[in-house]
Amino acid sequence: AGAVFSVSEKAAYDMAHKTGAEADVKAHYEVQTAVKAPSFYVSDMFCSMQQIMEKEGIDGFDIIVSNPPYIREEVIRGLEPEVRDHEPHIALSGGEDGLLFYRIIAKEAPLYLKRPGMLYLEIGYDQEEQVRDIFETAGFSEVSCIRDLCGMPRVIRAAYR
């Protein structure tokens, strides 16, 4: 079975546990494939990945999924009040240009991804080209964009070979 690692918010992971979503995903996977479902892990960026790899006796992760903060600092002040006033600033701000966490992920993910491995990262509607460039420059291949139901750029997919 593979290992899937999410470097997104811990709150999302906790919610999956509370709602049973993680169990549903694993059960569906096992029924559809007749093999053991992948394991899911969570970390705040990469801070606990090495410890989890050692504890689980694994040499890396097949997939890393992240929804990093990606809003440019200057844009935060203009967000809808229900977002700006109720979400922690750290959950919104991707730094001055909104790309800070993509640069960190591009640098750190190869330390933890198996070969071949995959990254899936949520992006802002106007960041497709910049995020593609970051990952292509870092040596990832097959960098592509998955669009949402409205046709807007939503997820960057990148292979680590």
Side-chain angles (χ1 to χ4, degrees), residues 3-5 41-43 46-62 64 108-114:
V4 178
F5 204 96
Y41 305 95
V42 69
S43 176
F46 295 97
C47 66
S48 61
M49 292 178 87
Q50 187 63 44
Q51 179 183 4
I52 291 170
M53 288 170 54
E54 291 170 6
K55 179 183 173 197
E56 299 294 324
I58 57 177
D59 61 353
F61 301 93
D62 299 296
I64 294 178
E108 298 291 323
L111 301 173
Y112 303 103
L113 272 172
K114 290 182 181 179

Side-chain angles (χ1 to χ4, degrees), residues 64-85:
I64 294 178
V65 178
S66 180
N67 180 11
Y70 55 77
I71 301 172
R72 291 186 313 277
E73 193 63 39
E74 68 186 41
V75 172
I76 292 175
R77 289 183 294 279
L79 292 175
E80 296 292 327
E82 53 270 11
V83 175
R84 180 191 65 231
D85 299 341

Side-chain angles (χ1 to χ4, degrees), residues 113 117-120 135 140-144 156-160:
L113 272 172
M118 295 298 301
L119 280 176
Y120 292 89
F135 285 91
F140 287 82
S141 61
E142 303 168 39
V143 180
S144 62
I156 288 291
R157 174 189 178 276
Y160 181 65

